[in-house]
Amino acid sequence: MSKPYLSLIIPVRDEEKTVLQTLLSVDYALSISEFSSEVIVVDDGSRDTTAHIVRQYEKVLKPLKCIEGKSKRGFGSAIKDGMADANGNVQMILYPSCVGFLDKREEILTAFKDGYDIVVGSRNIAVERLSLSCSVKRAFRKLGNRLLCGKSLFGVSDVRFGAVCMTEEMAEWLSSFSELTNSNNIFFEMYMLTTANGGRIKEIAYGESDECVCGKGAWNWIRAYFHSLKVRHLAKKKKKHEGLVLE
């Protein structure tokens, strides 16, 4: 098979009731697109028949591939497995609930043409009218990102939402960090590393939310702080080999 333009990576776990609809939605969206593609479904140790269902449709919905995990390791691990297997010029990571992000392909392609390295779907900027409380939460979220990460995450307000697209070059560079977390916080770490390396991230409106998505309590902020320390340590190690300039 020739090199596809898009590699779509979908991590799943215990999705037997919805995975077929997810695959059909993806197949339809890609069938009306103008570029070639591959779909990589990575099963994170499902205890139900999710992987079996995907396997059944591998020959029907081409090119579809299932990577089956034997145990639950975390979506971060599943995402890394999918990225390692991807061959596309562009890699898109979508949680099953976010496959509608494919409809944003024109905006995504425009962002890449404008020089962005990663495009992120954000529920926050998809909110048309913010309540006063949400506006305050958003302001504190951006301030918290600034305090935790310097300039690294300033302006990226929805750091754990599963709708992310990146260039092949950026995906390969991020994949070189074997120490990336196996949890959902992998996106947080990817964004920090990207901006620390001088990369550009574009946040576009996607998804529906009645209020600003701002995390759940102090524990998330504490975890985010330690993740930021870890990432800056990784970036400093990389600097010795690649001339990485930290902000």
Side-chain angles (χ1 to χ4, degrees):
M1 185 181 73
S2 60
K3 183 180 178 66
Y5 178 77
L6 173 69
S7 291
L8 178 57
I9 301 163
I10 307 175
V12 295
R13 183 196 304 138
D14 298 333
E15 300 276 353
E16 65 179 5
K17 294 181 179 180
T18 58
V19 70
L20 178 56
Q21 183 57 52
T22 296
L23 294 176
L24 293 175
S25 297
V26 166
D27 184 64
Y28 174 74
L30 294 177
S31 69
I32 60 174
S33 67
E34 66 282 5
F35 45 75
S36 58
S37 58
E38 63 176 354
V39 180
I40 303 170
V41 177
V42 188
D43 179 69
D44 184 37
S46 292
R47 295 167 295 179
D48 59 14
T49 61
T50 299
H52 176 70
I53 293 171
V54 178
R55 290 284 187 198
Q56 282 187 312
Y57 284 87
E58 274 184 310
K59 295 181 180 180
V60 180
L61 305 176
K62 296 183 179 180
L64 170 65
K65 179 177 182 180
C66 179
I67 299 177
E68 190 171 351
K70 300 302 181 183
S71 61
K72 176 181 174 182
R73 295 182 297 159
F75 267 14
S77 179
I79 288 167
K80 288 187 286 186
D81 287 347
M83 291 174 68
D85 200 76
N87 297 301
N89 295 311
V90 170
Q91 294 187 20
M92 181 181 289
I93 304 164
L94 295 181
Y95 286 179
S97 60
C98 302
V99 294
F101 192 56
L102 282 166
D103 295 337
K104 296 285 186 176
R105 54 187 175 274
E106 294 300 327
E107 281 187 68
I108 294 169
L109 294 177
T110 298
F112 287 141
K113 290 177 182 177
D114 291 341
Y116 287 94
D117 301 289
I118 293 182
V119 181
V120 182
S122 173
R123 294 162 292 185
N124 288 343
I125 60 176
V127 181
E128 294 183 0
R129 293 186 178 182
L130 295 176
S131 64
L132 176 60
S133 62
C134 185
S135 297
V136 172
K137 287 180 182 179
R138 177 179 293 183
F140 274 103
R141 180 58 173 253
K142 289 184 176 181
L143 177 61
N145 283 342
R146 183 90 181 208
L147 292 174
L148 287 175
C149 316
K151 296 180 182 178
S152 295
L153 282 182
F154 190 58
V156 181
S157 58
D158 202 354
V159 295
R160 297 185 67 188
F161 193 41
V164 181
C165 196
M166 65 187 73
T167 61
E168 181 180 27
E169 294 76 17
M170 183 56 65
E172 289 178 351
W173 186 77
L174 289 170
S175 295
S176 69
F177 290 90
S178 60
E179 304 93 337
L180 283 174
T181 182
N182 288 334
S183 74
N184 286 353
N185 285 312
I186 191 171
F187 294 135
F188 180 94
E189 295 186 358
M190 284 180 171
Y191 302 155
M192 281 200 67
L193 285 169
T194 299
T195 52
N197 192 38
R200 301 174 65 201
I201 300 176
K202 173 72 172 180
E203 199 173 31
I204 64 176
Y206 173 70
E208 298 180 359
S209 177
D210 294 330
E211 59 175 301
C212 197
V213 182
C214 291
K216 299 179 181 179
W219 175 238
N220 272 4
W221 286 105
I222 294 171
R223 287 197 301 177
Y225 174 71
F226 283 106
H227 275 286
S228 70
L229 293 180
K230 169 188 171 182
V231 170
R232 292 192 70 81
H233 173 67
L234 294 178
K236 286 178 180 179
K237 285 174 59 179
K238 205 77 168 179
K239 181 180 179 182
K240 297 179 181 179
H241 303 286
E242 300 184 358
L244 189 66
V245 179
L246 294 177
E247 298 184 2

